[in-house]
C-alpha cells in the first residue's frame, strides 16, 4: 500500500511542494505547528523511521538534513528544529520516514 507521502510524490493527492529532486521531496505540513513547518521526505517508503534510514542509507539521511538546512534558509533565517517522531507512542502517525522542519520563531512548546 502506498503511504500518504508516496501518494503526494505520485501527485495522487495535492500538497504545497517546496522542493523536489530524484530522491527527496519537501512540502508544507497540512497542520502546521510553527510559522514554518515543512516535511522533508525520502521518496522511497522502504524506511519507516529515521533509525531504519540511518542504518540502511546514511547518505540519504544526510541529504534529508541538508535539504532541511537549505529550506530553513529559504523560508526562515536558516535556524531550525529537526524532529523525527519514531514510533506510535512518540507521536508518529505516518510510517514513511520524514523530518519535520520547524522554523520562523519557535516557542518553547512548539514541538511537533
Ligand atoms: P508524524 O505524526 O508521523 O510525525 O507526522 C506526520 C505529519 O504529516 C503530521 O504533522 C501531519 O500533519 C502531516 N500530514 C498528514 N497527512 C498529510 C497530508 O495529506 N498532507 C500534508 N501536507 N501533511 C500531512
Amino acid at each position: 500500500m502506498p503511504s500518504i507521502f508516496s501518494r503526494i510524490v505520485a501527485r495522487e493527492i495535492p500538497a504545497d511542494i517546496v522542493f523536489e529532486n530524484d530522491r527527496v521531496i519537501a512540502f508544507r505540513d497540512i497542520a502546521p505547528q510553527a510559522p514554518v513547518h515543512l516535511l522533508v521526505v525520502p521518496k522511497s517508503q522502504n524506511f519507516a523511521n529515521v533509525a531504519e534510514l540511518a542504518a540502511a542509507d546514511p547518505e540519504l539521511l544526510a541529504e534529508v538534513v541538508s535539504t532541511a538546512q537549505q529550506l530553513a534558509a529559504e523560508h526562515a533565517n536558516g535556524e531550525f528544529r529537526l524532529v523525527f517522531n519514531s514510533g506510535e507512542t512518540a507521536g508518529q502517525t505516518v510510517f514513511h520516514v520524514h523530518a519535520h522542519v520547524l522554523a520562523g520563531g519557535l516557542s518553547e512548546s512548539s514541538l511537533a
Side-chain angles (χ1 to χ4, degrees), residues 23-24 53-54 57-69:
R23 303 224 294 166
V24 171
L53 177 61
D57 194 340
E59 278 184 25
L60 183 53
L61 174 58
E63 189 170 345
V64 169
V65 174
S66 64
T67 300
Q69 170 73 85

Side-chain angles (χ1 to χ4, degrees), residues 22-95:
D22 56 338
R23 303 224 294 166
V24 171
I25 191 166
F27 46 87
R28 291 186 195 280
D29 196 292
I30 206 167
Q33 305 292 312
V36 175
H37 186 170
L38 307 173
L39 299 175
V40 181
V41 185
K43 287 186 171 178
S44 166
Q45 70 172 62
N46 290 344
F47 317 108
N49 59 53
V50 67
E52 283 187 16
L53 177 61
D57 194 340
E59 278 184 25
L60 183 53
L61 174 58
E63 189 170 345
V64 169
V65 174
S66 64
T67 300
Q69 170 73 85
Q70 177 190 319
L71 291 171
E74 287 172 12
H75 293 265
N77 67 352
E79 298 180 348
F80 61 104
R81 182 179 292 164
L82 199 59
V83 174
F84 292 89
N85 294 326
S86 301
E88 207 171 329
T89 61
Q92 187 174 8
T93 58
V94 179
F95 294 87

Side-chain angles (χ1 to χ4, degrees), residues 4-13 20 25 27 41-43 96:
I4 193 141
F5 296 156
S6 291
R7 297 186 67 202
I8 287 173
V9 171
R11 305 303 199 269
E12 289 172 10
I13 58 174
E20 183 172 23
I25 191 166
F27 46 87
V41 185
K43 287 186 171 178
H96 173 161

